[in-house]
Amino acid sequence: MHGRKWKKGQPIFSRLVPHNKMKCLCSGEQLKVDEMIRSSESVTTKDLSASGYSSQNGEGEQRLDTINIEEAESSLREGVHLNYEEARALLGRLEYQRGNTEAALRVFDGIDIAAIAPKIKISISKRTEHRKFRSHWDVPLMSIHAVSLLVEAIYFKARALQDLGRFKEAAQTCNIILDTVESASPEGLPENFTTDCKLQETVCKAVELLPELWKLAGFSHETISSYRRALLGHWNLNAESVAKIQKEFVIILLYGGCDASPPNLRSQMDGSFIPRNNIEEAILLLMILLRKFTLKRIEWDPSIIDHLIFALSISGQLNSLASQIEELLPRVLERKERYYTLALCYLGEDDNLTALSLLKKLLSAMEDPNCVKALLLASKVCGGNSTYAEEGVSFARRALSNLDRGCDQMESVANCLLGISLSSQARSSASDSERVSRQNEALEVLERAERMMLGKDHRILFNLCLENAEQRKLDAALRYAKQLLKLEAGSNVKGWILLARILSAQKRFVDAETIVNAALDQTGKWSQGELLRTKAKVQIAQGKLRNAVDTYTHILATIQLRTKSFSVGIKSSKGGKCDRSLEIETWHDLANIYISMSQWRDAEVCLSKLKGISPYSAFGWHATGKLYEAKGLLKEALGAYTKALDLEPTHVASLVSIATVLRQLSNRPMPVVRGFLTNALQLDRTDHITWFNLGLLYKAEGGRSVLEATECFQAAALLEETAPVEPFR
């Protein structure tokens, strides 16, 4: 091997170290080389022999020996004798690289790390400051090769401890490297170190290794601190190494199950953004990674966008997520995947039209017209809007035709979405026969979906229960509601509310209130708003107006407390919208209660609160009209109802109220009044008040209209008998 040969079993250092004397930097004593060699040899030769290793085991070992010899010779050429610790460092590394982990660890244990760490620090500081360094220890400076060799020995000791499963000790050992180098050179190692020195490389490896060791040891806070230290310190890491650390840190923050305290403010620059929780810190790191990719500093990693989607979704920042996806460079995401992900974002932000437009692009002939997941999502979007219900039916049928047979879950989902779209289409049907036909088909496909899933899908059960309730098949609806409640173990507020509404439609108000109370006992206070509103409605139906006022007051207090409690930090924007909507409805209901009790001043206070929250709310103007009508001010009431209808042309209560006032004023032809009532029925054919007023109108016309009046009164009576305290939907 380049002219270098040694006898079998002879230590490799016997050729490198002069056989006279060796200076020991730890104690200052002169040690004979033979003693040092015997000391080293006693630790290793037995292990080498037992492992079957020798100088003739192959070119791989010879190459490693050559590297070690050349590095040792480099140290000697620099004029520094190889001391005891350095000899053990080289020998320990050789053992570790050969796979003799335990033997390597025994060699490394002979190095007094506590004693050499200050000397390493002094030696690095001297070269960092570019001036003569005098220490009160009066210890000779190490050569840069010696420093590199010993730091590497500490690193390999940490790796050996890791291999043996002693993770805490490994982390503590690895931490010595970072503490020593950071205290010696806080601004990072300078470039004036020799290029063939491995010190910088070893430090970078230690920086990457330390968080992993703390993670394996099970110390979450130390793991997070070491990741932050790696990213905020001056370690001269390359771009790929930093990106690797950032991605690993993101995974710990998002999925590690440990709440990280905010970063130390002292490590932040003035005016910089300081994350307040795990999610914010993870999002910040992911945004930095995206920026680096855009600048072509790192290679693309698809997991970056996956983690960002998760982080922004759970924090309710779907608009921000959509912006990030739109800004991605072409070909990073496939166009189909981009369309679908953006559609999900806009759907989550209730921008259904934009989501539907994106899905239609995805389902165009130029893209993928048979994409099942896009067809199902498009059907879901259309099913929630009667205007697009026909398209929803078409999308669901296309999905069913493109499904591979044998997947009952997907087929049941498609049938469920088809049933929802058919139900929505039925509500907007012009003729009774068409409406009945679509209602029957909706029930049929929903029942088919339920059979395929053996009654184990809560979404199918909920929609099946809802459809039966709307068709006034209350016994079947009650059966499915109980089945749903059992399946969900009472964990979903919607199931409790639907059951209470079905019981109220059966005029079992006491049972309905009992169900609501049971739900309140099992629900957190932040989720009780809709339950309390249902309870208040049940109390009103029983004539307990004072109790209802107390319940509404409780709702307002809960909303106010929730607003104060969540005023800091990221929260879902949808939660804020729900609170605002619930507060508007609460003030509206309170105003109606006070109007029915002829407490005008209290009603006016409620209306002022309502308009203060939403001055352009149809609820507010309709309640104002009710107040005027109760006072006998019909013209003022008509003006208020008209404003409500201008704000929301599909507001059924305002349509009916305008018709009622016009009929009382008798200054408009009957066809105009009939037009308002007919429009109201087209929007909601289950409103018994509309049918009753239409019957009064036909009765007033007399003649042949009396028969139609009778039919209207019969429909009103039947619907009133099965009317819930709140609409089922």
Side-chain angles (χ1 to χ4, degrees):
M1 189 165 59
H2 301 289
R4 296 188 178 96
K5 298 181 181 178
W6 57 84
K7 296 179 182 179
K8 183 175 181 180
Q10 181 180 3
I12 62 174
F13 302 114
S14 60
R15 295 189 76 268
L16 303 178
V17 185
H19 283 269
N20 47 11
K21 295 179 181 179
M22 175 175 292
K23 182 180 291 185
C24 178
L25 294 182
C26 292
S27 62
E29 298 176 355
Q30 300 292 331
L31 295 179
K32 293 182 180 180
V33 173
D34 291 338
E35 290 182 14
M36 192 278 296
I37 292 173
R38 283 196 298 272
S39 174
S40 303
E41 200 172 19
S42 65
V43 178
T44 60
T45 52
K46 184 168 67 174
D47 295 293
L48 288 172
S49 176
S51 304
Y53 281 97
S54 71
S55 60
Q56 300 174 357
N57 271 9
E59 294 181 359
E61 286 86 350
Q62 291 178 355
R63 195 173 296 111
L64 284 174
D65 293 343
T66 303
I67 295 171
N68 293 333
I69 292 169
E70 289 174 350
E71 289 188 2
E73 287 179 341
S74 176
S75 295
L76 292 174
R77 283 196 300 270
E78 195 174 309
V80 179
H81 292 292
L82 200 65
N83 68 7
Y84 181 83
E85 282 78 10
E86 295 163 21
R88 279 187 170 270
L90 278 174
L91 191 58
R93 183 176 69 178
L94 176 62
E95 291 293 335
Y96 182 78
Q97 289 174 335
R98 284 179 165 177
N100 300 329
T101 305
E102 294 183 3
L105 186 57
R106 285 196 293 271
V107 175
F108 289 135
D109 283 340
I111 301 175
D112 190 351
I113 296 177
I116 65 171
K119 299 172 187 177
I120 294 174
K121 174 182 174 182
I122 293 169
S123 300
I124 295 175
S125 298
K126 162 64 179 175
R127 289 164 176 79
T128 302
E129 296 175 3
H130 298 281
R131 59 184 174 84
K132 188 174 181 180
F133 183 86
R134 295 191 179 276
S135 170
H136 62 274
W137 286 308
D138 192 23
V139 176
L141 292 176
M142 295 182 183
S143 71
I144 194 61
H145 286 289
V147 170
S148 177
L149 187 62
L150 292 171
V151 169
E152 189 181 44
I154 301 173
Y155 170 75
F156 276 121
K157 181 178 180 180
R159 290 292 302 271
L161 288 167
Q162 178 190 10
D163 293 344
L164 295 173
R166 295 157 63 179
F167 302 121
K168 183 178 179 181
E169 294 176 63
Q172 292 169 340
T173 302
C174 187
N175 194 55
I176 293 173
I177 300 175
L178 274 62
D179 288 342
T180 303
V181 175
E182 190 173 38
S183 60
S185 181
E187 299 301 321
L189 294 175
E191 296 180 358
N192 67 325
F193 282 78
T194 54
T195 55
D196 60 338
C197 171
K198 295 180 65 176
L199 178 60
Q200 179 64 64
E201 179 185 346
T202 304
V203 171
C204 292
K205 289 180 179 178
V207 170
E208 294 184 44
L209 179 63
L210 183 59
E212 182 68 20
L213 294 175
W214 283 123
K215 181 169 64 176
L216 291 171
F219 292 85
S220 301
H221 292 290
E222 286 77 3
T223 302
I224 291 169
S225 297
S226 58
Y227 274 121
R228 288 173 177 164
R229 184 182 187 183
L231 295 174
L232 297 174
H234 300 280
W235 306 111
N236 299 328
L237 299 170
N238 59 42
E240 291 297 333
S241 296
V242 173
K244 177 176 177 288
I245 294 171
Q246 287 172 331
K247 284 183 279 189
E248 291 174 353
F249 191 21
V250 164
I251 292 172
I252 290 294
L253 289 169
L254 292 179
Y255 319 111
C258 175
D259 291 330
S261 57
N264 189 344
L265 297 180
R266 291 177 297 178
S267 63
Q268 303 292 334
M269 296 173 60
D270 292 339
S272 62
F273 172 74
I274 301 172
R276 291 169 291 187
N277 51 50
N278 291 35
I279 303 300
E280 286 190 1
E281 193 166 2
I283 291 172
L284 176 61
L285 290 169
L286 290 166
M287 299 284 279
I288 291 171
L289 286 167
L290 278 179
R291 179 66 174 169
K292 287 181 178 179
F293 167 72
T294 303
L295 297 175
K296 298 183 178 180
R297 294 178 183 172
I298 61 172
E299 296 294 325
W300 174 246
D301 182 355
S303 67
I304 295 175
I305 197 66
D306 293 337
H307 295 316
L308 186 62
I309 289 172
F310 175 78
L312 289 173
S313 298
I314 63 174
S315 62
Q317 306 299 307
L318 294 177
N319 274 329
S320 300
L321 176 57
S323 299
Q324 289 301 316
I325 293 174
E326 289 170 347
E327 291 173 5
L328 287 176
L329 295 175
R331 295 183 296 278
V332 170
L333 277 181
E334 289 187 13
R335 191 159 53 182
K336 293 186 293 185
E337 191 65 26
R338 187 189 297 258
Y339 284 150
Y340 186 77
T341 306
L342 284 172
L344 287 173
C345 292
Y346 288 115
L347 183 61
E349 289 292 335
D350 294 328
D351 190 354
N352 294 350
L353 294 182
T354 303
L356 184 59
S357 176
L358 288 163
L359 290 169
K360 286 181 178 178
K361 288 182 180 179
L362 171 55
L363 294 169
S364 65
M366 296 180 63
E367 295 295 340
D368 189 358
N370 298 322
C371 180
V372 173
K373 67 178 184 179
L375 288 168
L376 293 176
L377 186 59
S379 178
K380 175 182 173 66
V381 174
C382 294
N385 189 333
S386 58
T387 306
Y388 301 97
E390 187 174 353
E391 288 184 82
V393 172
S394 174
F395 286 132
R397 293 193 194 281
R398 284 170 59 186
L400 283 168
S401 64
N402 284 284
L403 278 174
D404 294 329
R405 296 302 173 187
C407 183
D408 290 344
Q409 288 82 358
M410 291 292 287
E411 191 173 349
S412 67
V413 169
N415 276 310
C416 179
L417 293 172
L418 176 59
I420 293 171
S421 294
L422 285 168
S423 176
S424 179
Q425 194 177 19
R427 291 193 295 275
S428 59
S429 297
S431 66
D432 290 341
S433 59
E434 184 182 3
R435 185 183 71 259
V436 171
S437 173
R438 287 171 179 166
Q439 284 179 339
N440 291 337
E441 188 179 0
L443 272 181
E444 181 182 343
V445 294
L446 286 171
E447 288 171 352
R448 186 188 309 151
E450 190 267 341
R451 286 194 300 272
M452 295 182 74
M453 294 306 297
L454 304 176
K456 301 300 182 183
D457 191 307
H458 66 96
R459 292 164 298 185
I460 295 173
L461 283 175
F462 180 83
N463 284 285
L464 190 55
C465 175
L466 190 59
E467 185 62 27
N468 276 285
E470 285 202 321
Q471 294 187 30
R472 296 303 194 263
K473 298 177 180 180
L474 298 181
D475 291 337
L478 183 61
R479 184 176 70 255
Y480 286 122
K482 291 179 178 179
Q483 188 177 345
L484 174 65
L485 199 64
K486 182 179 180 180
L487 179 65
E488 295 180 331
S491 61
N492 193 344
V493 173
K494 289 183 178 180
W496 288 104
I497 292 175
L498 184 55
L499 177 57
R501 289 173 180 174
I502 292 170
L503 289 171
S504 71
Q506 294 180 327
K507 308 309 174 189
R508 296 165 58 182
F509 298 119
V510 175
D511 292 339
E513 190 170 0
T514 302
I515 286 294
V516 174
N517 288 332
L520 289 170
D521 291 338
Q522 299 186 39
T523 307
K525 61 180 178 180
W526 303 133
S527 305
Q528 291 182 351
E530 289 296 333
L531 284 168
L532 289 170
R533 187 166 185 261
T534 302
K535 180 178 180 178
K537 291 283 189 178
V538 172
Q539 290 170 335
I540 292 171
Q542 297 177 84
K544 303 176 181 179
L545 299 184
R546 290 296 177 187
N547 292 345
V549 170
D550 293 339
T551 304
Y552 281 124
T553 304
H554 188 183
I555 296 174
L556 294 172
T558 302
I559 292 174
Q560 186 177 12
L561 181 60
R562 178 184 171 92
T563 303
K564 290 181 179 179
S565 300
F566 291 91
S567 59
V568 178
I570 290 180
K571 67 176 184 292
S572 173
S573 58
K574 190 169 289 189
K577 292 178 184 177
C578 290
D579 283 348
R580 186 168 174 268
S581 175
L582 180 61
E583 188 174 4
I584 290 172
E585 292 169 352
T586 301
W587 286 117
H588 173 263
D589 293 345
L590 269 175
N592 285 335
I593 290 177
Y594 287 128
I595 290 170
S596 66
M597 297 169 65
S598 300
Q599 296 182 13
W600 314 130
R601 185 173 296 276
D602 291 332
E604 289 170 355
V605 171
C606 293
L607 290 173
S608 66
K609 292 285 187 181
L610 193 159
K611 291 181 179 178
I613 300 169
S614 179
Y616 303 107
S617 169
F619 283 104
W621 284 105
H622 179 263
T624 302
K626 282 289 185 183
L627 179 61
Y628 285 135
E629 189 175 354
K631 291 180 177 180
L633 305 174
L634 296 183
K635 290 185 178 180
E636 289 80 357
L638 182 61
Y641 293 143
T642 304
K643 286 182 180 179
L645 203 59
D646 290 339
L647 293 169
E648 189 178 334
T650 59
H651 194 244
V652 174
S654 296
L655 287 168
V656 176
S657 296
I658 287 176
T660 303
V661 172
L662 288 175
R663 188 171 54 81
Q664 292 180 51
L665 290 173
S666 300
N667 59 353
R668 293 291 178 91
M670 290 299 178
V672 175
V673 178
R674 188 186 301 112
F676 283 109
L677 294 173
T678 303
N679 290 340
L681 282 178
Q682 288 178 349
L683 294 168
D684 183 7
R685 298 188 67 84
T686 62
D687 184 28
H688 64 277
I689 297 176
T690 307
W691 285 106
F692 179 74
N693 279 281
L694 188 60
L696 291 176
L697 182 64
Y698 283 129
K699 181 182 177 182
E701 289 179 353
R704 296 179 179 178
S705 300
V706 174
L707 182 59
E708 293 178 343
T710 303
E711 292 177 352
C712 289
F713 288 140
Q714 287 177 344
L718 178 63
L719 290 171
E720 187 178 14
E721 287 178 1
T722 57
V725 293
E726 291 180 294
F728 290 114
R729 291 189 186 272

